[in-house]
Amino acid sequence: MSARTRTFILGVPLFLLTACEWFTDFKRQPSIWTWEQVKDSTTPSRGNPQMSVPTTGTAVAGYQVSYGAFPATIDSMAGLSNPRPPTDSSLMNGRKYFQINCAVCHGDRAMGDGPATKYGMPGINLATDVTKARTDGYIFGMIRNGRGLMPTYDRIEEMDRWDVVIYLRALQGVNGKTVEVGPLAAPGVTGDKVPGPTRLGPTEPAPFFKPRSDSSKANSDSSRTRIDSTSGGVIR
């Protein structure tokens, strides 16, 4: 076998190994992000994800205000106005979420004497003049982001968070409301005494946009066409 032939035989496998992808997995495959434009088209690659996007919006979107637990970030939310009036239903709802999330540290009356203080947690009194002087938006931001010893309670949904602020204001005696304090029910009781399903999801489908439609006539024709399941024929 000539030297030239040996070089060719040895070089072909080397070329194949370097030029081809022999080991593939699902992490390396062609993919398109949601709403990503296809090449130079302005049409998204897919239709709207039905029943998966909130239609109500939020008081502060993540891209507007950071979720960082920083004083300046929370100060930036101090100007937010509470959209919830101090009604009986909002006060009752605020009490429920306060008891579940806040009373363990702050106490039933927000005096900083919750059961967690028996195990080393400093008592944070929310009924002081300093906290009373805080705006609703600031307290909302503290619940949303957390800061210092205060963890984030963003798991409390938007309107429920505002209800917690209203209930706290009643405990502080600054909104003229008298409220009950303490647990809503004995341990283990469920129903309306615990958080229900999420309300951030939509109550109606997002407007559907069919991507990559060839023409308006084609869309019109397809919308007027249905399949007769009994005869297997197409009925217009």
Side-chain angles (χ1 to χ4, degrees), residues 5-236:
T5 303
R6 287 197 303 269
T7 302
F8 176 79
I9 293 174
L10 294 174
V12 168
L14 180 62
F15 170 79
L16 293 175
L17 288 174
T18 56
C20 301
E21 175 100 27
W22 290 98
F23 304 100
T24 60
D25 53 50
F26 286 109
K27 293 187 294 184
R28 292 177 289 178
Q29 61 175 321
S31 62
I32 299 177
W33 291 94
T34 304
W35 309 121
E36 181 180 344
Q37 296 179 2
V38 181
K39 296 183 179 180
D40 59 348
S41 172
T42 58
T43 301
S45 60
R46 52 167 288 180
N48 292 359
Q50 296 297 288
M51 305 302 292
S52 63
V53 179
T55 59
T56 56
T58 57
V60 183
Y63 67 85
Q64 291 177 302
V65 176
S66 166
Y67 278 90
F70 307 112
T73 304
I74 299 172
D75 285 341
S76 68
M77 287 182 275
L80 293 176
S81 299
N82 194 334
R84 303 277 281 181
T87 62
D88 291 342
S89 60
S90 63
L91 288 165
M92 184 180 301
N93 191 48
R95 177 190 173 192
K96 175 172 67 178
Y97 283 91
F98 184 90
Q99 277 295 317
I100 293 172
N101 300 279
C102 313
V104 63
C105 291
H106 297 293
D108 292 340
R109 299 181 181 274
M111 301 291 290
D113 55 354
T117 59
K118 300 177 183 179
Y119 303 95
M121 178 66 188
I124 307 298
N125 190 341
L126 300 179
T128 64
D129 291 337
V130 173
T131 307
K132 290 179 182 180
R134 300 290 192 186
T135 66
D136 285 3
Y138 182 92
I139 299 173
F140 174 91
M142 281 289 293
I143 300 172
R144 176 183 184 268
N145 287 33
R147 200 191 77 189
L149 294 175
M150 170 74 174
T152 173
Y153 280 91
D154 193 47
R155 68 185 182 188
I156 305 176
E157 294 193 357
E158 191 92 344
M159 291 301 142
D160 299 323
R161 210 178 305 152
W162 287 117
D163 288 344
V164 171
V165 176
I166 293 174
Y167 182 74
L168 175 61
R169 292 307 198 190
L171 294 178
Q172 293 173 337
V174 299
N175 62 2
K177 298 293 182 178
T178 301
V179 292
E180 297 182 18
V181 298
L184 276 71
V189 176
T190 58
D192 61 351
K193 302 302 186 291
V194 296
T198 177
R199 288 177 292 179
L200 285 180
T203 56
E204 60 185 29
F208 180 72
F209 176 79
K210 183 178 180 181
R212 302 181 184 177
S213 57
D214 295 332
S215 65
S216 58
K217 182 178 184 303
N219 290 340
S220 177
D221 290 343
S222 61
S223 64
R224 292 197 301 267
T225 302
R226 65 183 178 85
I227 301 296
D228 183 6
S229 60
T230 59
S231 63
V234 178
I235 298 178
R236 292 185 179 275

